Amino acid sequence: MEILNLNGTPYENGKKSGEFFLERLNLNLKEIEEKLYTDDSIKKAVEFQFNKLKNTFPKYYEEIIGKADGLKIDRLVYFSIMCPEIMDLNFEHCTTIVYKKNNGKFMISHNEDDEYIDGNFCLSKVKIDDENWFITNDMYNMPFGNGVSFNSYGIVKTINYCHDDNWVVDYTPRYFSQRHIAESSSIDDLIKRCKEINNASGYHVTAIDINTNVAVSIEVYNDTIDVVYINDCFVHSNHFLRGKYSNKLSLDMGSNSFFRYSKAKEMLLNNSIKSLIDLKDILDYRSKDDTFFESILQTKNDPYETIFNFSYDTENKEKLFFDVYALGEKVSLDYDIGHK
């Protein structure tokens, strides 16, 4: 387990992260390169987003070109990976649980499921400004702050991709909205930031302000959001639950999102929940037949697998808990946050 301290300029932080993964990944981007440079409509769409990011969010642009340079990848090719809606790339799959204990404190546990690439995971502590930072899972194929993050303002968040048939490729790739909210200074600021970017596709964010003990679920659609404050317990997976989707189940083909949601909710309501171990036990659930469509934890035999679990208890503010699943072995890491 590596932890990168990224306290330079946005470009330097991106490059340091890219150089880290360059030494660990054996990437074959031929298919992406061919798709980008042989389809003029795709190339123009990616270039449009690249220039828009540079003009609208130069900080995130600098991080991306730094990472591309660190990975020694053509900048436009690398940026195209940040445009999953244009490139029609596979999406990550996740399950999140929130539970309010009898003493009023919140716990959160989150499985990050994706296609496993050996070496494509570390933790990075990324500088926001001279006083503030956020800690996040870092992967070569996403901007900082995607997946899970905890920042020095006391905002802990997790991200779940949600299937949406109505992509708007002229809108900003959702990855950059997810990057944007990693720097939220409060729940109100988080809600504001979710509204500031029209997204090519939607996502869900679960967040807790550890200082005010407020937890929130936000479904982010193309050009609007739906906010629910969490008062007791909550589950989300990879399909929208509310808004225009409240009576319309929208799933990826071959997805087990509805089972993961239903089973986790059932176990959460019917089991005695006292600690993070109880939440992680729910997210470790495998069916007796060890089948993908009736399991929450994903393994190497499934279409995608659980890369890591992230858990946090607001009663123990100084520790982040990660269980990393790799090569069939679970490795646990307790990260002392500190405020260095």
Side-chain angles (χ1 to χ4, degrees), residues 199 202 219-226 240 242-245:
N199 298 287
E219 290 191 345
V220 182
Y221 315 120
N222 296 126
D223 48 17
T224 187
I225 68 173
D226 185 278
F240 291 119
R242 308 190 297 269
K244 62 182 178 180
Y245 296 94

Side-chain angles (χ1 to χ4, degrees), residues 53 57 60 63-64 78-85 88-93 112 114 139-147 157 159-161 171-182 197-203:
L53 185 69
F57 295 106
Y60 311 153
E63 289 173 346
I64 292 300
Y78 182 69
F79 180 75
S80 72
I81 302 171
M82 307 297 112
C83 304
E85 299 90 355
D88 194 18
L89 299 174
N90 290 330
F91 295 121
E92 68 277 10
H93 304 262
E112 186 80 9
D114 203 345
M139 306 170 81
Y140 100 91
N141 51 336
M142 292 183 185
F144 299 132
N146 281 252
K157 71 161 179 64
I159 297 291
N160 293 31
Y161 154 74
Y171 285 0
T172 302
R174 75 175 192 282
Y175 284 172
F176 294 101
S177 177
Q178 293 167 186
R179 167 66 183 88
H180 192 50
I181 64 175
I197 299 175
N198 288 334
N199 298 287
S201 63
Y203 65 94

Side-chain angles (χ1 to χ4, degrees), residues 155-295:
I155 303 298
V156 56
K157 71 161 179 64
T158 66
I159 297 291
N160 293 31
Y161 154 74
C162 290
H163 180 72
D164 188 345
D165 290 325
N166 302 307
W167 297 354
V168 185
V169 293
D170 287 342
Y171 285 0
T172 302
R174 75 175 192 282
Y175 284 172
F176 294 101
S177 177
Q178 293 167 186
R179 167 66 183 88
H180 192 50
I181 64 175
E183 299 188 7
S184 300
S185 59
S186 65
I187 295 296
D188 286 344
D189 185 39
L190 173 69
I191 293 170
K192 173 177 174 289
R193 285 171 178 257
C194 286
K195 295 178 179 178
E196 287 177 344
I197 299 175
N198 288 334
N199 298 287
S201 63
Y203 65 94
H204 174 263
V205 54
T206 311
I208 302 171
D209 186 329
I210 70 170
N211 298 312
T212 60
N213 200 47
V214 173
V216 68
S217 154
I218 307 174
E219 290 191 345
V220 182
Y221 315 120
N222 296 126
D223 48 17
T224 187
I225 68 173
D226 185 278
V227 181
V228 169
Y229 287 87
I230 301 169
N231 295 316
D232 41 31
C233 61
F234 179 78
V235 176
H236 212 289
S237 53
N238 300 113
H239 59 280
F240 291 119
L241 302 173
R242 308 190 297 269
K244 62 182 178 180
Y245 296 94
S246 58
N247 296 311
K248 176 188 174 185
L249 187 63
S250 181
L251 296 171
D252 275 335
M253 185 178 297
S255 170
N256 66 352
S257 179
F258 185 70
F259 173 84
R260 286 184 281 118
Y261 168 76
S262 300
K263 188 64 177 179
K265 189 174 182 179
E266 173 197 320
M267 295 177 71
L268 188 63
L269 293 174
N270 294 331
N271 293 352
S272 176
I273 307 297
K274 296 180 180 179
S275 70
L276 285 178
I277 293 174
D278 300 316
L279 294 188
K280 291 198 283 187
D281 282 346
I282 294 174
L283 294 180
D284 274 343
Y285 175 81
R286 290 290 296 183
S287 70
K288 292 181 179 178
D289 297 331
D290 201 33
T291 57
F292 167 72
F293 284 105
E294 294 183 348
S295 296

Side-chain angles (χ1 to χ4, degrees), residues 5 12 20 35 51 59 79 85 100 106 116 131 148 159 163 172 205 210 218 255 264 272 288 311 319 322 324 334 337:
N5 286 303
E12 291 169 343
F20 171 85
K35 192 172 187 177
N51 291 328
K59 178 179 181 178
F79 180 75
E85 299 90 355
K100 192 174 188 179
F106 282 103
Y116 178 72
E131 296 181 355
V148 305
I159 297 291
H163 180 72
T172 302
V205 54
I210 70 170
I218 307 174
S255 170
S272 176
K288 292 181 179 178
S311 296
K319 280 189 179 292
F322 290 87
V324 183
D334 301 348
I337 299 166

